[in-house]
Amino acid sequence: MKKMKDVPEHDRPREKIAIKGVAALTDTELIEAILGRGVINRDVRMIARDIAVMTSDHSREIRYEDVLTIEGVGPTKAAQIMACLELGRRRYEPTGAVTIKKPDDVLPLVSTYREKPQEYFICISLTGAGEVISSRVVTIGILNHSLVHPREVFAGAITDRAASVICVHNHPSGSLEASAQDIAVTRQLQEAGILLGIQLLDHIIITKTGFSSMKEKGLV
């Protein structure tokens, strides 16, 4: 990997933002732009790469202490990264002011997952009035019994003291039809929800072009 000083000026992250726009940068380049510079014996590109790997796991909660474990990251850089993550969370994650009354209301909360190349399984916790408490990625990968277990799905909802949940997952294939696995997982979650006293209101499948509510199809 080239050091930043060896990268042509027009290809450096901050210059690329000015020339091509922020959307043209990779995740690692965005982090490079945030950090600005590295430390002795550790170039900013190496540090940014390690941070990008850590933050790529969307199911993991990143803490200040976690960022500090990366070689070359001190309190200042860790604070910069945590501030950016929090700003993104506040900008894109739902708050309790959002109320879900119909399946369409869920779509703005999960729009970033519609074009993902892997399946993302998301659980949205709700109050008794249908207000969103939180939205969490539970698993990333193929949807099946072993990867989507009730304990992972409802763990956050229990912490939130949620009255109900809505589950959402994307189909990279573009199909809006619920598979046999989708239906089996939904029934398993529905039964677990009854035991826990947390109702599964719906399980929604999303794609690039649309969505399908399993409740509307009589599968919940």
Side-chain angles (χ1 to χ4, degrees), residues 11-216:
D11 277 336
R12 295 178 185 177
R14 292 180 178 178
E15 285 72 15
K16 284 179 71 173
I17 291 174
I19 298 169
K20 299 181 180 180
V22 70
L25 277 67
T26 64
D27 289 356
T28 301
E29 288 175 325
L30 290 172
I31 296 169
E32 290 169 14
I34 293 166
L35 297 178
R37 64 181 65 184
V39 295
I40 297 174
N41 298 326
R42 198 119 213 271
D43 187 71
V44 66
R45 304 188 79 198
M46 299 171 68
I47 299 171
R49 179 194 58 194
D50 290 348
I51 295 173
V53 170
M54 177 179 287
T55 57
S56 65
D57 182 356
H58 296 276
S59 63
R60 175 182 178 182
E61 180 181 357
I62 307 299
R63 302 174 302 167
Y64 175 79
E65 293 78 9
D66 298 326
V67 184
L68 277 177
T69 64
I70 294 174
E71 184 182 352
V73 174
T76 299
K77 286 184 171 57
Q80 286 175 307
I81 293 301
M82 293 306 299
C84 289
L85 291 174
E86 178 62 16
L87 183 61
R89 185 192 66 79
R90 293 183 186 184
R91 173 64 179 83
Y92 293 106
E93 283 193 3
T95 66
V98 178
T99 302
I100 305 299
K101 295 181 179 179
K102 55 187 185 303
D104 310 55
D105 296 335
V106 174
L107 300 183
L109 311 182
V110 294
S111 60
T112 56
Y113 304 102
R114 300 181 75 161
E115 298 189 24
K116 294 289 187 181
Q118 291 178 289
E119 286 193 4
Y120 280 68
F121 193 95
I122 302 107
C123 181
I124 301 171
S125 297
L126 305 169
T127 67
E131 294 182 337
V132 174
I133 302 171
S134 67
S135 177
R136 296 180 176 86
V137 174
V138 178
T139 62
I140 303 172
I142 302 301
L143 181 63
N144 59 43
H145 285 293
S146 62
L147 290 179
V148 183
H149 192 282
R151 64 173 170 265
E152 277 77 40
V153 175
F154 287 102
I158 292 171
T159 300
D160 293 337
R161 298 182 181 273
S164 60
V165 296
I166 293 176
C167 292
V168 183
H169 81 276
N170 64 310
H171 273 185
S173 65
S175 171
L176 287 172
E177 291 299 316
S179 68
Q181 285 283 8
D182 294 339
I183 295 170
V185 167
T186 301
R187 288 175 178 166
Q188 186 182 37
L189 294 175
Q190 194 170 20
E191 291 171 2
I194 292 171
L195 291 174
L196 293 169
I198 302 175
Q199 184 182 5
L200 174 65
L201 294 181
D202 203 347
H203 186 172
I204 298 173
I205 298 169
I206 57 174
T207 68
K208 293 180 182 179
T209 57
F211 75 96
S212 176
S213 162
M214 293 178 71
K215 180 177 182 180
E216 291 183 343

